[in-house]
Amino acid sequence: MQAVVTGCAGFIGSHVTEQLLATGWSVLGIDCFSPTYDTSTRRSLIGGLSKHPEFEFIEGDVNDIDLLPHVADADVVFHLAARPGVRASWVDFSNVSRANILATQRVLDAVAVHPSTRLVFASSSSVYGRAAAYPTTESDPLAPISPYGVTKAACESLVGAYVSQMDIDVVSLRYFTVYGPRQRSDMAFTKWIRAALASNPVTVYGDGTAVRDFTFVDDIVDATIAVAAADLSGHEIFNVAGGSPTTVNEVLGLIERLVERPLILEHTPKALGDPDRTGGTTDRLRAATNWAPMWTVEDGLAEQVAWVKGTGRT
């Protein structure tokens, strides 16, 4: 099997690429090293992946590369490239829109020429905003409350338009709050763990009562690859969630126990675009692929703490 992975040097993309290679796939990875986050780390990851004989890398922006010849031989395109970050999207909407919406349209254009190629698109639970019910189902209305969430909802609408008019199969996966080793340096768990290990203050948005359906990256990878081979057609949409909604305060308590020192907490006002609660049902995904989350938040956090310690960047 041959795959194209956009965003192959990113947090989720690098894990997906590694797992594909480990299970016998050939992978063409595409990524650019914009200076928005962790450039040296992402370049190092590509250096490691490039040692595999079945991996080829193209450096460049999805908006600029001629995708057609690369998609032609692919069984599956995993479109994981994006400009992430709810908070950053408020101040950089032009670039977020280009990286998320316009890039997705270019991928769809390429896949439409090769309809035998399945597209797996990384969406987000941010499309729900303040959801009407919990756990949220895929049929619940979309009401994003951040520019980032708006771009992901727009991407899903683009997918729906293409599928309605062209003979292509696309799976959109709504990821819920992904964490684990290689999590970006601007994301909460990485920042909190590094601050805790260095005995620095831990900055917390809000009072810590917000609830998130935290999902370990290995579970995300398993779901992402599972839908590639599932018997699906048209535009299928699935939640990918950890299944154990947890408060921020509970996570902070787990980190405190794992680093074996008290945390110095500094609370700041809740950030724009952050809902008070997220939580998704994964019944549809389980029925389609037999996937189920395997990692508890405590076990996943232990893996992330070990990774942060191992990087020597505390």
Side-chain angles (χ1 to χ4, degrees):
M1 297 282 282
Q2 298 188 55
V4 172
V5 180
T6 71
C8 65
F11 170 34
I12 297 172
S14 62
H15 283 282
V16 168
T17 300
E18 282 185 344
Q19 184 61 16
L20 289 170
L21 292 170
T23 52
W25 290 63
S26 297
V27 179
L28 172 71
I30 300 172
D31 213 326
C32 63
F33 298 106
S34 60
T36 50
Y37 68 93
D38 302 343
T39 300
S40 61
T41 299
R42 288 182 288 140
R43 286 194 179 278
S44 177
L45 285 170
I46 291 300
L49 290 169
S50 295
K51 296 175 182 178
H52 197 289
E54 294 298 321
F55 178 74
E56 178 184 355
F57 177 61
I58 296 176
E59 181 176 348
D61 191 318
V62 172
N63 280 300
D64 301 325
I65 294 171
D66 182 5
L67 298 172
L68 285 175
H70 307 306
V71 171
D73 296 326
D75 298 290
V76 184
V77 174
F78 296 90
H79 180 39
L80 310 180
R83 181 65 65 88
V86 166
R87 297 178 188 93
S89 69
W90 291 99
V91 296
D92 194 24
F93 189 65
S94 176
N95 284 325
V96 171
S97 297
R98 183 176 188 273
N100 295 356
I101 301 172
L102 298 184
T104 299
Q105 184 172 25
R106 292 204 75 242
V107 173
L108 285 163
D109 283 339
V111 170
V113 178
H114 303 286
S116 63
T117 300
R118 171 166 292 177
L119 174 60
V120 178
F121 165 65
S123 187
S124 168
S125 63
S126 293
V127 299
Y128 293 120
R130 297 186 182 94
Y134 299 98
T136 309
T137 71
E138 292 87 349
S139 61
D140 284 329
L142 305 190
I145 58 173
S146 70
Y148 171 75
V150 167
T151 67
K152 287 298 186 178
C155 287
E156 289 191 17
S157 292
L158 264 178
V159 169
Y162 273 74
V163 170
S164 74
Q165 300 300 308
M166 302 174 188
D167 185 24
I168 60 174
D169 295 332
V170 184
V171 181
S172 294
L173 298 176
R174 293 173 179 166
Y175 297 149
F176 279 71
T177 316
V178 190
Y179 72 100
R182 299 183 202 156
Q183 189 188 53
R184 300 192 320 271
S185 60
D186 63 314
M187 295 182 74
F189 284 16
T190 298
K191 290 196 297 185
W192 292 345
I193 294 167
R194 285 179 176 165
L197 289 169
S199 297
N200 290 329
V202 173
T203 301
V204 181
Y205 290 97
D207 61 5
T209 60
V211 176
R212 294 289 180 270
D213 205 343
F214 298 109
T215 314
F216 190 64
V217 67
D218 285 9
D219 285 332
I220 292 288
V221 170
D222 289 345
T224 302
I225 296 175
V227 300
D231 184 14
L232 303 168
S233 62
H235 183 201
E236 294 281 0
I237 300 173
F238 299 108
N239 291 335
V240 188
S244 299
T246 307
T247 68
V248 168
N249 284 330
E250 288 170 329
V251 168
L252 292 167
L254 288 171
I255 292 174
E256 190 169 67
R257 292 200 293 274
L258 288 165
V259 301
E260 299 180 315
R261 65 188 70 182
L263 301 186
I264 307 167
L265 301 181
E266 290 187 350
H267 290 273
T268 63
K270 188 176 72 171
L272 287 172
D274 278 346
D276 293 328
R277 181 182 179 92
T278 68
T281 177
T282 56
D283 293 345
R284 292 191 71 248
L285 181 58
R286 187 190 300 260
T289 67
N290 291 320
W291 175 91
M294 303 300 292
W295 285 80
T296 66
V297 175
E298 184 170 8
D299 288 343
L301 268 174
E303 290 290 312
Q304 188 163 347
V305 168
W307 168 74
V308 171
K309 288 180 176 179
T311 64
R313 296 174 58 196
T314 60

